[in-house]
């Protein structure tokens, strides 16, 4: 190959001095043997052949000099003097390691300079050798695939066409279990230098049989200082991964020279060429095997020879062991040490089947809510020198978008009803009418915003999660950040298999709206204080009374159609002259009507009617309005007729023509109409019984039969009473709706537009929190279906939901924590109900309103039958959410030393009381044997006391609070959540620490392997994949200065952190 370029050669002492300033490795000797010393560059033609650079005075002349490009570096630089060279063009220099003087070259243009730099850099024998090695590896891979391709060439055309798509043999063994899992170990690795200690890892690549493309899949952890590395990180292929018996797997062993630089190992990237040597690692050897060879091997183990890239030199062996989670690994681990060079271990030799996890049949129904699982496999030694196997799994959920869309749809319907109720208030005085118009205008704008958001979410396709980079996007503000299920499946030698689940999600917060003025906790308190002082324009109602008004409206909208329906059923039963059906219809009608009447026995309705009356046009008041305070409004219903009580409630003055007792008469008429209906039904049934007796004694005459039939026309006798009941009910509904809508008008008018903006912010935060809760409940229900103690606890006490927060109380994160605290507290108004699925759609159904939601979780019939009768009958299941927060980053250090940590202290203290309340209910209603058997030795009461002491101690970055709270939650069969700003970095540190702590405390992880297991999970586990998924980079977003402020066990291993977008 020959390349010719026109360039300029310059060689002066001054220029060499400049080059030496720019690149310290360049020498300062002059090249007097090339050209006479001069101050101007001289033009030369250069011709490159192989590793020889010929210098010529002109294009046609002979070479005046030949430069051998061996043991030299090509260095690009820009000259900093404008005397003799062009400043706009970069230059390059060949620096010789052999001690020869330097040669300075200046190209005619920037593209020429770049092309010459590449050509000169690859011209030496080392570059040629790298090319040859790369080509040899490609040839080896082509040869491996050649046999199947050649076989197809000899097939007749007809047979070849009939093959169509290639057919491959599936290796699926158990539904919803990983297709293939194996562990790895190397022996007798050869080093380039005798004194060199190897730090090795294995990169796993897959050759897909259909495409013949090599794809990087995963890597093991780095094992330091041994020629016989035993890797704790295995390889697992999830159920949906396209791997077959014909698939080939390539294992490449690398020696890592600098761990801090080894962060370029990225999963699922093309493997077209080997990594560059300057990333801190070097190639040792590789081996390839077919999946069928491993699966069908007698001992389910392969021993492969590691060879260099040219296929000649042997550099060691690699052992591949098939792994099955439900089987025991009998090998002893007596010779394993955590950090020593002689790291040896007997691997899998014999396998014994054990009892698998109960509830594997439940997994198919989880496919409706879980997506894109990531699986990692580990094996760790126990304290008694046995192996335990750990499968770590992470999956996103479709609920990230399903729940917010359902919730927004409910908000739209609720707000449309409210706007219509405001319009139906009727004629109002000018002041109140203008206020109503302003409120409706603002509400319509907010309603339009909700509708636009729902429309945008409906267009979303692709991933089922919201990345941390998107947390500030307006169209996604209702979507939880980075919501995932994190699961650890542990198979121990002497313990039953165990599952440990944690839901990881970004702190529920309104990131798009920002935190300049704080979060919901502060904003709601400030708004309520300001609203009390703006009563000269409107009437102040306390938050409790406003909530009561919404409840009354909700009861009306729910009960009125039910009563009307049951009344129609009563008439239908009467027309059919069916006594049993008539009794049942009357019973249902009576129950619903009594609930309806009871809903209006409240002083709020009475006072609101009076307020609405005074707001009508032409109303004359006897005295000026006096604004009530909330303490005076909460009158007891039992004393509502007491004169002094009525006087205290009278924030709206009496009108001279208003009859306060009229409302009592109106809603009492409903009860009277029902009593008349009940009495008439009783008489009709009594007469029917008498007539049946007479018919049995004597055969009645024709005249008697006619009289009995006429007197027994049930429908005609009940119809007027049913119409009267409906009319009375309609009058009550009209008045009650108007009065309660007037209360809501006051709430909105007193705080426009802040009231609506706070409602929006609260809806956003609640939507994020609810999506996580629904996911956690469904996962917990599926894993606990065979645990009768848990199911009894679920319907008797309720479900504990414990959130672990890692937010600081400094700057914006303090606002996030305030949002999060309110959002989690609002989850108390959520109830769950389990129903039998009638179709293949298992997604949950959400009903209700802002103050009360019911989540209907659907289960297949087979699973539904496993539930207790109480749950099958539709009993509502309560949630008990608690939040404990401990900031751990450098911002928390600033808050502790120069700021304020009161917010964190108050939140932890308040939620400790809620946790104690749940524990009290648990001990009162549940038998003591409901706790898991292997945890009975731990005293929950003692853990609670220890948690109380740690919260009171106010110690800086007291992570003991989080460990205690998490332990209590697990022992009480609760659902665990871990949250930071984006559920990516701090959350990953906390989740991996919790997993390793569980392995140590519950499954006897060898104490010398605790740190190594922690590093394995953080370097090669699911959480680093979560980081890659969010920011397209396998680096936790920490720097060295930040980590100095972190607690010791919350620091990632070297090489896994650095600058990255969050």
């Amino acid at each position: 190959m020959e390349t010719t370029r026109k360039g300029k050669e310059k060689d002066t002492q001054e220029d060499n001095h400049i080059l030496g300033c720019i690149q310290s490795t360049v020498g300062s000797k002059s090249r007097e043997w090339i050209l006479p010393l001069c101050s101007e560059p001289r033009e030369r033609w250069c011709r490159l052949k192989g590793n020889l650079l010929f210098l010529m005075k002109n294009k046609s002349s002979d070479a005046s000099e030949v430069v051998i490009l061996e043991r030299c570096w090509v260095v690009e630089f820009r000259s900093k003097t404008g005397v003799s060279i062009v400043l706009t063009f970069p230059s390059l220099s060949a620096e010789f390691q052999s001690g020869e003087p330097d040669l300075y070259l200046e190209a005619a243009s920037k593209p020429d300079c770049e092309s010459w730099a590449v050509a000169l850099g690859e011209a030496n024998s080392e570059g040629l050798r790298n090319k040859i090695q790369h080509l040899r590896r490609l040839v080896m891979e082509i040869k491996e695939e050649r046999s199947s391709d050649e076989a197809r060439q000899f097939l007749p055309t007809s047979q070849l066409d009939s093959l169509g798509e290639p057919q491959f043999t599936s290796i699926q063994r158990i539904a919803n279990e990983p297709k293939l899992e194996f562990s790895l170990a190397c022996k007798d690795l050869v080093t380039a230098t005798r004194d060199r200690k190897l730090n090795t890892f294995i990169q796993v690549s897959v050759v897909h049989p259909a495409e013949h493309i090599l794809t990087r899949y995963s890597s093991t952890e780095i094992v330091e200082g041994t020629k016989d590395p035993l890797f704790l990180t295995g390889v697992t292929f999830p159920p949906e991964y396209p791997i077959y018996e014909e698939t080939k797997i390539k294992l490449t062993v690398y020696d890592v020279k600098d761990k801090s630089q080894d962060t370029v190992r990225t999963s699922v990237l093309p493997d077209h060429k080997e990594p560059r040597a300057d990333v801190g690692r070097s190639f040792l050897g590789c081996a390839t095997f077919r999946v069928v060879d491993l699966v069908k091997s007698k001992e389910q183990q392969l021993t492969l020879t590691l060879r260099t890239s040219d296929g000649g030199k042997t550099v060691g062996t690699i052992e591949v062991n098939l792994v099955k989670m439900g089987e025991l690994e009998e090998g002893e681990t007596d010779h394993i040490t955590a950090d020593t060079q002689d790291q040896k271990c007997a691997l899998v030799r014999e396998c014994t089947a054990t009892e698998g996890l109960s509830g594997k049949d439940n997994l198919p129904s989880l496919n409706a809510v879980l997506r894109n699982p990531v699986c990692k496999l580990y094996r760790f030694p126990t304290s008694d020198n046995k192996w335990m196997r750990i499968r770590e799994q992470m999956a996103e959920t479709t609920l990230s978008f399903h729940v917010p869309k359902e919730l927004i749809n409910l908000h739209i319907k609720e707000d449309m009803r409210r706007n219509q109720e405001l319009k139906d208030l009727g004629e109002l005085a000018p002041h109140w009418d203008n206020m109503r118009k302003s409120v409706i205008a603002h509400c319509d704008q907010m309603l339009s915003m909700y509708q636009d958001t729902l429309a945008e979410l409906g267009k979303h396709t692709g991933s089922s999660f919201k990345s941390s980079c998107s947390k500030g996007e307006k169209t996604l503000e209702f979507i939880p950040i980075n919501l995932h299920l994190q699961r650890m499946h542990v198979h121990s030698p002497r313990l039953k298999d165990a599952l440990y689940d944690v839901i990881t999600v970004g702190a529920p917060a309104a990131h798009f709206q920002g935190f300049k003025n704080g979060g919901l906790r502060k904003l709601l308190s400030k708004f309520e204080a300001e609203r009390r002082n703006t009563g000269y324009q409107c009437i102040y109602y306390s938050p409790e009374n406003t909530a009561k008004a919404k409840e009354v409206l909700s009861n009306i909208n729910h009960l009125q159609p039910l009563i009307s329906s049951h009344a129609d059923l009563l008439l239908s039963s009467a027309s059919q002259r069916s006594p049993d059906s008539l009794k049942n219809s009357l019973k249902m009608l009576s129950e619903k009507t009594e609930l309806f009447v009871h809903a209006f026995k409240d002083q709020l309705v009475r006072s609101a009617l009076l307020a609405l009356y005074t707001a009508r046009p032409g109303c004359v008041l006897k005295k000026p309005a006096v604004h009530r305070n909330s303490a005076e409004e909460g009158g007891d219903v039992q004393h509502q007729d007491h004169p002094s009580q009525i006087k205290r409630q009278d924030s709206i003055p009496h009108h001279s023509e208003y009859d306060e007792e009229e409302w009592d008469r109106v809603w009492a008429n409903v009860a009277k109409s029902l009593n008349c209906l009940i009495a008439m039904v009783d008489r009709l049934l009594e007469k029917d019984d008498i007539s049946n007796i007479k018919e049995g004694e004597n055969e009645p005459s024709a005249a008697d039969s006619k009289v009995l039939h006429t007197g027994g026309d049930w429908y005609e006798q009940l119809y007027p009473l049913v119409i009267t009941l409906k009319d009375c009910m309609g009058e009550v509904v009209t008045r009650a709706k108007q009065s309660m809508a007037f209360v809501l008008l006051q709430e909105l008018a007193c705080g426009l537009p802040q009231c609506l903006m706070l409602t929006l912010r609260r809806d956003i935060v609640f939507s994020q929190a609810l999506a996580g809760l629904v996911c956690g409940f469904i996962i917990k229900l599926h894993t606990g279906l065979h645990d009768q103690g848990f199911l009894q606890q679920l319907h008797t006490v309720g479900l504990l939901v414990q959130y672990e927060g890692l937010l600081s109380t400094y700057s914006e994160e303090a606002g996030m924590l305030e949002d999060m605290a309110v959002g989690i507290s609002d989850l108390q108004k959520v109830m769950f109900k389990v129903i039998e699925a009638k179709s293949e759609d298992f997604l949950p159904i959400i009903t209700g309103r802002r103050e009360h939601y019911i989540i209907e979780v659907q289960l297949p019939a087979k699973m539904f039958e496993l539930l207790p009768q109480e749950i099958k009958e539709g009993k509502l299941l309560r949630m008990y959410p608690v939040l404990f927060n401990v900031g751990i980053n450098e911002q928390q250090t600033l808050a502790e030393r120069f700021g304020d940590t009161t917010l964190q202290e108050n939140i932890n203290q308040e939620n400790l009381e809620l946790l104690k309340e749940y524990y009290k209910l648990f001990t009162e209603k549940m038998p003591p044997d409901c706790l898991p058997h292997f945890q009975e030795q731990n005293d929950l009461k003692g853990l609670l006391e220890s948690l109380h002491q740690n919260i009171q101690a106010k110690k800086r970055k007291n992570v003991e609070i989080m460990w205690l709270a998490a332990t209590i939650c697990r022992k009480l069969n609760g659902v665990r959540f871990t949250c930071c700003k984006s559920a990516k970095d701090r959350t990953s540190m906390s989740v991996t620490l919790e997993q390793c702590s569980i392995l140590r405390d519950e499954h006897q992880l060898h104490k010398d392997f605790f740190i190594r297991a922690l590093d394995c999970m953080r370097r090669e586990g699911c959480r680093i994949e979560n980081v890659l998924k969010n920011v397209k980079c396998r680096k936790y977003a920490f720097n060295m200065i930040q980590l100095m402020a972190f607690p010791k066990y919350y620091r990632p291993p070297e090489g896994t952190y650095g600058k990255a977008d969050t």
Side-chain angles (χ1 to χ4, degrees):
M1 179 177 178
E2 179 177 318
T3 306
T4 302
R5 292 287 186 272
K6 184 178 181 180
K8 293 182 180 180
E9 175 192 357
K10 179 171 65 174
D11 187 17
T12 65
Q13 292 180 354
E14 180 182 357
D15 294 326
N16 281 316
H17 174 68
I18 294 173
L19 185 60
C21 293
I22 298 174
Q23 179 69 32
S24 61
T25 59
V26 177
S28 59
K29 296 180 181 180
S30 63
R31 302 266 312 185
E32 297 178 359
W33 54 277
I34 296 181
L35 291 172
L37 188 64
C38 62
S39 59
E40 293 295 330
R42 294 189 179 184
E43 185 177 85
R44 289 289 184 268
W45 284 85
C46 302
R47 177 169 292 173
L48 182 63
K49 285 187 176 182
N51 64 341
L52 301 179
L53 178 66
F54 297 91
L55 303 179
M56 302 170 291
K57 292 183 178 180
N58 55 60
K59 188 174 182 180
S60 58
S61 65
D62 295 333
S64 59
E65 184 179 356
V66 178
V67 180
I68 300 174
L69 300 175
E70 292 295 337
R71 300 176 64 191
C72 69
W73 294 96
V74 177
V75 182
E76 294 186 39
F77 73 100
R78 288 180 180 273
S79 183
K80 296 185 178 179
T81 162
V83 177
S84 59
I85 64 174
V86 181
L87 294 175
T88 56
F89 299 133
S91 304
L92 56 93
S93 168
E95 176 195 350
F96 291 84
Q97 295 178 337
S98 59
E100 295 289 343
D102 299 333
L103 177 66
Y104 179 87
L105 300 172
E106 180 181 318
S109 66
K110 182 176 180 179
D112 275 356
C113 179
E114 292 175 348
S115 62
W116 270 104
V118 174
L120 293 174
E122 296 179 350
N124 55 30
S125 57
E126 184 180 355
L128 185 60
R129 190 180 301 112
N130 290 337
K131 284 185 178 180
I132 294 173
Q133 290 178 351
H134 177 61
L135 290 173
R136 281 176 175 172
R137 285 192 294 271
L138 292 178
V139 170
M140 288 176 62
E141 292 168 5
I142 292 173
K143 285 182 177 179
E144 291 172 356
E145 303 298 334
R146 191 172 177 181
S147 58
S148 61
D149 293 339
E150 290 177 348
R152 292 176 64 88
Q153 290 177 4
F154 290 103
L155 287 174
T157 306
S158 58
Q159 294 184 26
L160 190 61
D161 294 339
S162 66
L163 288 177
E165 291 295 324
Q167 300 296 318
F168 302 115
T169 308
S170 174
I171 58 172
Q172 180 76 41
R173 298 191 306 268
I174 302 174
N176 298 288
E177 285 289 291
K179 286 186 176 180
L180 179 68
E181 293 179 307
F182 56 85
S183 58
L184 298 167
C186 293
K187 287 187 177 181
D188 303 323
L189 296 179
V190 177
T191 60
T193 58
R194 182 172 299 178
D195 297 333
R196 165 75 177 156
K197 290 186 176 181
L198 293 175
N199 302 323
T200 53
F201 77 90
I202 299 177
Q203 181 174 282
V204 182
S205 303
V206 178
V207 182
H208 297 282
E211 303 172 355
H212 310 308
I213 296 176
L214 195 66
T215 304
R216 294 184 192 176
Y217 182 74
S218 67
S219 300
T220 66
E221 82 281 11
I222 299 173
V223 179
E224 301 182 32
T226 176
K227 297 180 181 180
D228 302 313
L230 176 70
F231 299 98
L232 303 184
T233 305
V235 182
T236 179
F237 293 89
E240 71 282 354
Y241 192 86
I243 187 169
Y244 309 94
E245 290 187 356
E246 295 81 3
T247 302
K248 292 186 178 180
I249 295 176
K250 179 182 177 182
L251 306 174
T252 308
V253 182
Y254 291 99
D255 176 22
V256 178
K257 299 176 182 178
D258 185 359
K259 289 176 64 176
S260 64
Q261 298 296 324
D262 193 52
T263 57
V264 298
R265 288 176 288 144
T266 306
S267 298
V268 199
L269 291 178
D271 196 21
H272 299 311
K273 60 182 180 180
E274 297 298 337
R276 293 162 45 198
D278 58 357
V279 297
R281 55 179 170 161
S282 61
F283 172 83
L284 287 182
C286 62
T288 305
F289 69 92
R290 293 192 307 163
V291 171
V292 65
D293 297 334
L294 175 62
V295 174
K296 296 186 177 180
S297 62
K298 184 176 181 181
E299 297 182 351
Q300 296 187 330
Q301 174 182 326
L302 296 177
T303 301
L304 309 174
T305 301
L306 284 171
R307 298 184 181 275
T308 55
S309 56
D310 57 4
K313 185 179 179 182
T314 300
V315 294
T317 60
I318 184 168
E319 293 185 351
V320 185
N321 296 274
L322 189 66
V323 172
K324 297 180 181 179
M325 283 295 290
E327 297 176 349
L328 290 175
E329 189 169 334
E330 298 295 342
E332 295 293 332
T333 62
D334 295 337
H335 301 291
I336 290 188
T337 55
D339 301 307
T340 60
Q341 182 175 350
D342 299 327
Q343 186 187 48
K344 299 180 181 179
C345 170
L347 299 176
V348 182
R349 297 301 179 190
E350 297 180 5
C351 295
T352 5
T354 59
E355 181 182 358
L357 264 183
S358 62
K360 285 184 178 178
D361 293 337
N362 304 344
L363 294 178
S365 60
L366 286 178
N367 292 337
V369 296
L370 296 180
R371 289 286 186 274
N372 301 327
V374 176
C375 300
K376 298 291 180 178
L377 182 69
Y378 312 97
R379 53 175 176 176
F380 298 139
T382 61
S383 57
D384 55 355
N385 294 323
K386 297 292 183 180
W387 284 111
M388 72 169 103
R389 292 175 184 156
I390 298 93
R391 183 187 296 154
E392 186 186 26
Q393 296 171 288
M394 180 185 72
E396 62 190 51
T397 171
T398 56
L399 299 175
S400 292
F401 282 82
H402 173 74
V403 170
K405 287 194 289 188
E406 291 287 301
L407 209 54
I408 294 173
N409 193 39
L410 287 178
H411 294 332
I412 291 172
K413 293 179 180 178
E414 180 180 351
D415 291 349
M416 290 179 68
R417 283 196 304 267
R418 178 198 59 198
N419 291 358
Q420 187 60 45
E421 287 161 357
L422 292 177
K423 294 174 183 178
D424 292 341
L425 274 176
E427 191 176 4
L428 298 176
H431 166 71
W432 300 105
D433 192 47
N434 291 334
M435 181 184 294
R436 173 172 60 177
K437 290 177 181 178
S438 175
V439 167
I440 292 176
H442 281 86
C443 290
D444 285 341
Q445 291 178 5
M446 195 62 63
L447 182 61
S448 177
M449 191 280 297
Y450 280 96
Q451 291 170 336
D452 292 343
T453 300
L454 184 60
E456 288 297 322
L457 291 179
K459 299 176 184 177
H460 178 84
T461 57
S463 179
S464 300
F465 91 114
K466 171 182 168 182
S467 72
S468 62
C469 298
S470 304
K471 59 177 168 281
E473 291 187 17
K474 178 173 175 55
T475 56
L476 299 177
E477 57 185 345
F478 283 85
I479 309 301
I481 302 167
N482 196 17
L483 174 60
H484 284 83
L485 164 67
Q486 177 82 17
R487 167 170 288 183
M488 182 174 69
H489 175 192
V490 184
H491 176 72
S492 300
R494 293 182 174 85
L495 297 174
K496 286 186 178 180
D497 283 13
L499 285 180
Y500 300 93
D501 292 337
V502 179
I503 308 298
T504 61
V505 62
H511 291 274
F512 177 78
Q513 297 191 22
F515 308 96
K516 183 178 180 180
N517 299 313
L520 276 173
R521 190 177 172 107
K522 180 186 294 183
L523 293 173
L524 288 172
S525 177
K526 181 180 179 182
F527 172 75
E528 188 60 31
E530 291 176 349
R531 198 163 72 93
R532 290 173 180 269
N533 300 323
T534 57
Y536 64 93
Q537 293 181 343
C538 55
I539 304 167
Y540 174 76
Y541 288 95
S542 68
E544 294 77 14
N545 279 334
T546 302
K548 181 65 178 178
K550 294 176 181 178
E551 182 183 353
V552 170
L553 286 172
S554 177
N555 289 335
I556 291 173
N557 294 326
H558 175 66
L559 292 174
Q560 184 184 14
L562 287 179
I563 294 174
S564 179
S565 174
H566 288 306
D568 293 339
L569 288 175
L570 183 73
L571 291 177
S572 176
S573 300
S575 63
Q576 297 173 6
R577 202 178 176 84
S578 171
D580 292 336
S581 177
L582 191 67
K583 290 178 183 178
N584 292 332
S585 299
L586 181 62
K587 180 182 178 182
M588 297 300 298
L589 178 64
S590 301
E591 291 176 355
K592 300 302 179 183
T593 306
E594 287 175 5
L595 292 174
F596 181 83
V597 172
H598 182 73
F600 303 113
K601 289 185 177 181
D602 195 285
Q603 184 65 27
L604 176 64
V605 180
R606 183 195 304 271
S607 62
L609 279 170
L610 177 56
L612 177 60
Y613 186 85
T614 60
R616 300 294 186 191
C619 175
V620 179
L621 303 180
K622 296 174 63 177
K623 57 183 178 180
V626 179
H627 306 291
R628 81 184 85 188
N629 62 46
S630 59
E632 294 174 342
E633 291 178 324
D636 192 340
V637 175
Q638 296 177 356
H639 305 289
Q640 61 182 355
D641 296 327
H642 196 280
S644 62
Q645 183 71 9
I646 295 176
K647 184 176 181 180
R648 290 180 58 209
Q649 296 289 334
D650 191 17
S651 64
I652 300 299
H654 292 278
H655 187 270
S656 57
E657 298 179 359
Y658 182 73
D659 185 0
E660 291 188 35
E661 296 182 358
E662 181 181 5
W663 167 245
D664 293 335
R665 293 193 294 269
V666 169
W667 68 260
N669 285 339
V670 177
K672 292 178 180 178
S673 299
L674 178 65
N675 290 335
C676 293
L677 193 59
I678 293 173
M680 177 58 71
V681 170
D682 290 341
R683 286 198 298 270
L684 292 175
L685 292 175
E686 183 180 355
K687 290 180 179 179
D688 186 66
D689 291 339
I690 295 174
S691 63
N692 289 336
I693 294 173
K694 289 184 177 180
E695 287 178 3
E697 293 177 354
N698 302 305
E699 189 68 26
S701 63
D704 292 337
S705 298
K706 184 177 180 179
V707 171
L708 286 174
H709 180 71
T710 303
D713 195 345
W714 291 359
Y715 181 88
E716 292 181 1
Q717 296 189 49
L718 292 179
Y719 180 77
L721 298 178
V722 170
I723 295 300
T724 302
L725 175 63
K726 288 185 176 181
D727 290 343
C728 293
M729 185 177 63
E731 187 175 358
V732 169
V733 166
T734 299
R735 296 195 181 203
K737 272 191 172 183
Q738 289 182 345
S739 64
M740 296 299 97
F742 190 73
V743 173
L744 299 185
L745 176 63
Q746 310 309 309
E747 179 202 27
L748 295 169
C750 287
L752 283 178
Q754 293 87 347
C755 179
L756 293 177
M757 293 307 297
L758 280 177
T759 301
L760 170 63
R761 188 182 190 104
R762 199 164 188 171
D763 287 345
I764 291 170
V765 174
F766 180 76
S767 172
Q768 297 178 24
L770 182 63
L773 176 64
V774 175
C775 176
F777 179 87
I778 292 176
I779 298 299
K780 187 66 179 179
L781 180 63
H782 280 74
T783 55
L785 274 176
H786 296 270
D787 185 347
Q788 295 303 315
F790 164 72
L791 296 175
Q792 181 184 355
Q793 175 186 350
L794 186 60
H795 71 79
T796 305
V797 185
L799 183 64
L800 178 66
V801 185
Q802 186 255 326
Y803 288 81
E804 174 185 302
L806 300 165
L807 296 172
S808 69
T809 55
Y810 184 81
S811 188
E812 285 193 345
E813 288 200 4
M816 298 177 200
L817 182 56
E818 290 178 343
D819 275 358
M820 182 180 180
V822 174
I824 291 173
S825 177
D826 284 346
L827 294 177
Q828 296 179 53
K829 58 192 178 187
V830 176
M831 308 282 277
F832 280 82
K833 182 180 179 181
V834 184
I835 62 175
E836 183 178 351
K838 302 301 181 183
S839 67
E840 295 300 319
D841 183 7
F842 298 112
L843 290 174
I845 302 168
I846 305 177
T847 58
R849 53 185 174 82
R850 281 186 175 90
E851 275 66 34
H852 181 67
Y853 290 101
I854 296 177
I855 316 296
E856 296 182 350
V857 176
Q858 304 185 81
L859 289 182
K862 185 177 179 181
M863 297 169 61
F864 187 75
E865 289 302 317
L866 299 174
L867 298 174
Q869 190 63 32
E870 293 86 348
I871 298 180
K872 288 195 286 188
E873 291 175 355
K875 184 175 182 179
L876 296 180
L877 312 175
R878 289 197 60 186
M879 300 294 108
Y880 290 86
V882 294
L883 165 64
F884 294 96
N885 186 85
V886 177
I888 62 172
N889 65 356
E890 77 286 354
Q891 289 188 326
Q892 186 62 22
T893 302
L894 295 175
E896 290 170 343
R897 296 188 178 182
F898 309 110
D900 185 13
T901 60
T902 305
L903 173 63
Q904 176 176 286
E905 294 166 3
N906 291 341
I907 289 174
N908 290 343
Q909 185 61 48
E910 292 167 5
N911 285 273
L912 174 63
E913 298 305 318
L914 294 175
L915 183 58
K916 288 181 176 178
E917 177 186 341
Y918 180 85
Y919 175 69
K920 182 180 179 182
L921 287 173
F922 181 88
T923 54
E924 290 175 350
K925 297 184 178 181
M926 296 295 295
D929 59 346
C930 285
L931 294 178
H933 68 279
F934 62 93
Q935 296 173 345
E936 289 178 352
Q937 56 184 341
N938 297 303
D939 184 8
L940 268 173
K941 189 174 181 180
L943 289 172
L944 281 168
E945 182 59 31
S946 180
L947 179 60
H948 174 77
Q949 292 173 1
N950 276 274
I951 290 175
Q952 295 297 321
K954 299 182 181 180
K955 178 183 174 183
R956 291 179 179 177
K957 295 183 181 178
N958 189 3
V959 294
E960 187 74 18
I961 291 174
M962 297 189 293
W963 298 346
L964 288 168
T967 302
I968 293 170
C969 175
R970 286 194 299 271
K971 295 183 187 306
L972 288 174
N973 295 315
V975 179
R976 282 273 298 111
F977 282 78
T978 299
C979 311
C980 65
K981 181 167 67 174
S982 59
K984 178 172 63 68
D985 303 305
R986 281 170 282 178
T987 294
S988 296
M989 299 301 103
S990 177
V991 165
T992 50
L993 177 60
E994 180 178 353
Q995 290 179 167
C996 288
S997 299
I998 291 173
L999 294 178
R1000 178 193 61 196
D1001 300 337
E1002 305 291 350
H1003 298 276
Q1004 303 174 358
L1005 172 67
H1006 196 290
K1007 62 179 181 179
D1008 293 337
F1009 274 77
F1010 179 80
I1011 297 299
R1012 187 173 166 191
L1014 195 58
D1015 286 353
C1016 274
M1017 289 184 176
R1018 289 173 176 175
R1019 186 182 292 275
E1020 300 298 339
C1022 291
R1023 299 315 302 181
I1024 198 70
E1025 300 297 334
N1026 183 267
V1027 174
L1028 177 66
K1029 191 174 181 179
N1030 277 273
V1031 297
K1032 313 303 179 187
C1033 176
R1034 290 169 62 95
K1035 288 185 180 180
Y1036 299 110
F1038 303 130
N1039 58 49
M1040 184 62 71
I1041 297 177
Q1042 287 177 312
L1043 292 179
M1044 291 173 63
F1046 275 52
K1048 177 182 177 181
Y1049 290 111
Y1050 288 83
R1051 300 172 187 171
E1054 183 182 1
T1056 62
Y1057 57 88
K1059 184 178 180 181
D1061 294 331
T1062 60

